Amino acid sequence: MDHEIKPSFKIATRIWWNITWKTILFSLPFSFVGGIAGAMIGTIVSGGNDNLANLIGSISSAIAVIPIAILVISSSLNESYGKYRVSLTETNSY
């Protein structure tokens, strides 16, 4: 890679922060709705077992965040960070 550079701590922090705040902000509503829906389904499926319903709700909440995190990372690949830009390039090595 001819133009590849080693990212500084400052640039890495900017990229990390951009991904982190967007993931938290956009995933909160999906996590909330997924958790409530999962807990309701868990209550019905388990016959009222609160521990199992909470477990199903927690798992549903976490699963609801996955597509949001993927979308945030995907959108972060097309943004500029100061004078740098994160991009994907195809390589010939596997």
Side-chain angles (χ1 to χ4, degrees), residues 23 26-39 53-70:
T23 301
F26 297 132
S27 65
L28 281 175
F30 288 88
S31 178
F32 183 73
V33 170
I36 289 177
N54 287 337
L55 176 63
I56 293 171
S58 295
I59 292 170
S60 300
S61 177
I63 290 173
V65 172
I66 293 171
I68 303 304
I70 293 170

Side-chain angles (χ1 to χ4, degrees), residues 7-57:
S8 67
F9 185 78
K10 181 180 177 181
I11 294 298
T13 302
R14 286 181 71 177
I15 295 167
W16 167 81
W17 179 244
N18 182 52
I19 293 170
T20 301
W21 80 262
K22 287 179 181 177
T23 301
I24 291 170
L25 179 69
F26 297 132
S27 65
L28 281 175
F30 288 88
S31 178
F32 183 73
V33 170
I36 289 177
M40 288 175 21
I41 292 169
T43 300
I44 294 167
V45 169
S46 70
N49 182 339
D50 287 341
N51 289 334
L52 185 56
N54 287 337
L55 176 63
I56 293 171

